[in-house]
């Protein structure tokens, strides 16, 4: 970009990690609407917070109330939604925090673009796997019913595709395991990596 120069900070990411006494990274929860992404991300965040670990949840619906309120649900808008979240998530990682993102993020290419913004040990893709039928039965926001009636267009899983991760760091099956069991699976992974 013309006339824009990166300004180095006096406090580095490594300084912040050392002070916080833990690694900083992104836990990227992806899956269909109703799979349990937001519930799980918030449950993991609560567990981390109780261990004095600095973390923050970026939730798809919440972010669309502010930062991304100008975006719709076309393929192009979904891509821009994830691009912006990737940039915000990177800022959280630079600040020395763990950021948990709960976004359908249906396209592999978009998720890869976020991964590529970060260093090798800063992005954990968590596939919140749940069959479409189960998500439709849950339908916590009534969105599947609206999509089936044609009231919502480009709804992921109905008339817009969801591309499951090919090799995520973690797969959690929310139709087979409780939220508590899924949280423990994620915490165990982070402990094994010695990031917390």
């Amino acid at each position: 970009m013309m006339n824009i120069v990166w300004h180095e900070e006096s406090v580095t990411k490594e300084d912040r990690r050392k002070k916080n006494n833990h690694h900083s990274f992104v836990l990227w929860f992806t899956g269909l609407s109703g799979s349990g992404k937001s519930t799980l991300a918030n449950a993991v965040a609560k567990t981390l917070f109780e261990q004095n670990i600095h973390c923050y949840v970026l939730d798809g619906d919440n972010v669309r109330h502010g930062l991304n309120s100008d975006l719709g649900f076309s393929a192009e808008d979904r891509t821009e939604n994830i691009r912006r979240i990737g940039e915000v998530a990177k800022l959280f990682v630079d600040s020395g925090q763990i950021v948990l993102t709960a976004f359908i993020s249906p396209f592999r290419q978009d998720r890869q673009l976020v991964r590529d913004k970060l260093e090798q040990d800063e992005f954990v893709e968590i596939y919140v796997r749940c069959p479409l039928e189960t998500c439709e039965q849950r339908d916590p926001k009534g969105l599947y019913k609206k999509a089936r009636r044609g009231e919502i267009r480009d709804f992921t899983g109905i008339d817009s595709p969801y591309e499951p991760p090919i090799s995520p760091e973690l797969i959690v099956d929310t139709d087979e395991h409780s939220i508590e069991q899924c949280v423990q699976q994620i915490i165990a992974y982070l402990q094994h990596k010695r990031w917390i």
Side-chain angles (χ1 to χ4, degrees):
M1 293 186 189
M2 293 178 54
N3 302 319
I4 298 177
V5 178
W6 185 263
H7 187 85
E8 293 299 327
E9 296 184 47
S10 57
V11 180
T12 67
K13 175 170 52 179
E14 288 69 29
D15 293 333
R16 293 184 181 99
R17 287 173 171 172
K18 188 173 182 181
K19 185 167 187 175
N20 291 343
N21 201 29
H22 62 76
H23 188 52
S24 61
F25 50 90
V26 177
L27 293 177
W28 191 277
F29 294 81
T30 177
L32 292 170
S33 178
S35 61
K37 298 178 301 300
S38 295
T39 301
L40 184 54
N42 278 282
V44 171
K46 187 170 190 284
T47 300
L48 294 172
F49 181 78
E50 289 169 350
Q51 296 176 19
N52 295 317
I53 294 172
H54 301 266
C55 60
Y56 193 82
V57 175
L58 294 173
D59 178 80
D61 284 345
N62 294 355
V63 170
R64 280 185 177 272
H65 276 95
L67 177 67
N68 292 346
S69 62
D70 61 325
L71 299 176
F73 291 92
S74 67
E76 296 79 17
D77 281 0
R78 288 175 190 267
T79 293
E80 176 60 13
N81 183 47
I82 298 307
R83 186 197 70 78
R84 291 182 192 177
I85 296 312
E87 294 293 346
V88 172
K90 187 175 187 293
L91 292 173
F92 272 94
V93 172
D94 288 345
S95 77
Q97 297 188 65
I98 297 169
V99 58
L100 304 90
T101 68
F103 292 82
I104 294 171
S105 49
F107 306 125
R108 289 185 192 113
Q109 181 178 349
D110 295 345
R111 298 190 302 263
Q112 186 62 46
L113 285 173
V114 176
R115 184 186 290 272
D116 292 344
K117 292 178 189 297
L118 298 155
E119 294 179 20
Q120 186 174 358
D121 62 347
E122 294 179 346
F123 186 88
V124 178
E125 188 174 37
I126 302 173
Y127 178 24
V128 184
R129 188 166 58 185
C130 188
L132 176 61
E133 300 75 31
T134 303
C135 292
E136 283 201 69
Q137 288 169 5
R138 292 175 178 171
D139 202 9
K141 302 168 193 169
L143 299 177
Y144 283 102
K145 288 185 180 76
K146 289 181 180 178
R148 291 290 187 193
R149 291 193 303 258
E151 296 172 22
I152 300 176
R153 296 180 149 208
D154 298 322
F155 192 77
T156 303
I158 304 300
D159 57 353
S160 185
Y162 176 77
E163 300 171 353
I166 294 172
S167 54
E169 281 74 16
L170 283 167
I171 298 174
V172 293
D173 292 295
T174 57
D175 65 321
E176 297 177 8
H177 304 291
S178 69
I179 290 296
E180 293 75 20
Q181 289 170 320
C182 293
V183 168
Q184 285 311 308
Q185 180 184 349
I186 294 165
I187 295 297
Y189 173 86
L190 300 179
Q191 290 172 336
H192 176 74
K193 298 286 282 185
R194 297 176 185 262
W195 286 355
I196 60 171

